[in-house]
Amino acid sequence: MIPMGRKAKPAHLHLLEGSKSHRSNDELEKRKQAEEDMNFKDDAVRAPTWLRKEAKKHFNKLVKEFKGSGLLKNVDVNALALYADALLDYIECTRTVEEEGFTIEQTNKAGATNSIPHPLLTKKKQAFDQMSKLMGEFGLTPAARASLARNMINEVKEDDEGNKFGGRV
């Protein structure tokens, strides 16, 4: 796995908070304009055809929750579908493990029978990891929503002397 740095902070936040980086205000203004120019449409947010029927229900439920927020765009459809698909995998793994138990009997090459952890526990963990990552991206946890709220600050307050500073939530 390749180590990754921090996620890029939107330029308007750098400008509001005062840049602690090496970027000039002119560079940040240009970046802010470029970010604003990437105004994606939200007129075709529908579950992809490849998504399983039960996962589509989860997808559509989330789309309703996002309605009016302005956060969900057409380009986000596949990522949200991946979340819904991973959620369905997680649910199915949970149901199967509940029915079959946390361990299963396995016969090795020597003919001995051993009790091993259910193989779907690994699949369940993978689905959980995928969901957790996407939940953070979409603000589907309280902590992720708090972070999104901080990042969406666009109100600039003026102090008594007329100097501008960034408001904080």
Side-chain angles (χ1 to χ4, degrees), residues 24-105:
S24 69
N25 282 345
D26 186 46
E27 288 175 309
L28 290 172
E29 283 293 342
K30 287 178 185 175
R31 186 169 139 199
K32 179 182 173 192
Q33 186 59 47
E35 289 173 3
E36 289 172 359
D37 290 344
M38 291 192 325
N39 190 11
F40 295 105
K41 295 181 182 181
D42 62 359
D43 60 344
V45 178
R46 292 181 223 23
T49 56
W50 57 263
L51 197 58
R52 295 174 284 173
K53 184 179 178 181
E54 192 68 27
K56 282 182 182 180
K57 291 178 185 178
H58 295 292
F59 179 95
N60 291 328
K61 182 179 177 184
L62 285 169
V63 169
K64 285 180 186 176
E65 291 291 328
F66 276 106
K67 193 167 182 121
S69 71
L71 292 174
L72 197 59
K73 304 293 181 185
N74 297 346
V75 296
D76 301 319
V77 165
N78 286 321
L80 190 62
L82 289 171
Y83 169 79
D85 193 54
L87 176 60
L88 185 57
D89 286 347
Y90 185 89
I91 292 168
E92 289 176 352
C93 288
T94 299
R95 288 178 180 156
T96 302
V97 169
E98 272 183 16
E99 291 172 11
E100 297 176 6
F102 283 91
T103 59
I104 61 170
E105 298 296 317

Side-chain angles (χ1 to χ4, degrees), residues 98-116:
E98 272 183 16
E99 291 172 11
E100 297 176 6
F102 283 91
T103 59
I104 61 170
E105 298 296 317
Q106 182 183 35
T107 305
N108 63 21
K109 291 179 182 178
T113 302
N114 299 315
S115 184
I116 63 166

Side-chain angles (χ1 to χ4, degrees), residues 2-33:
I2 299 170
M4 297 178 67
R6 283 187 227 169
K7 291 183 182 179
K9 183 186 286 190
H12 75 277
L13 284 180
H14 277 292
L15 290 167
L16 288 172
E17 295 173 352
S19 179
K20 296 176 183 128
S21 69
H22 62 279
R23 293 176 182 89
S24 69
N25 282 345
D26 186 46
E27 288 175 309
L28 290 172
E29 283 293 342
K30 287 178 185 175
R31 186 169 139 199
K32 179 182 173 192
Q33 186 59 47

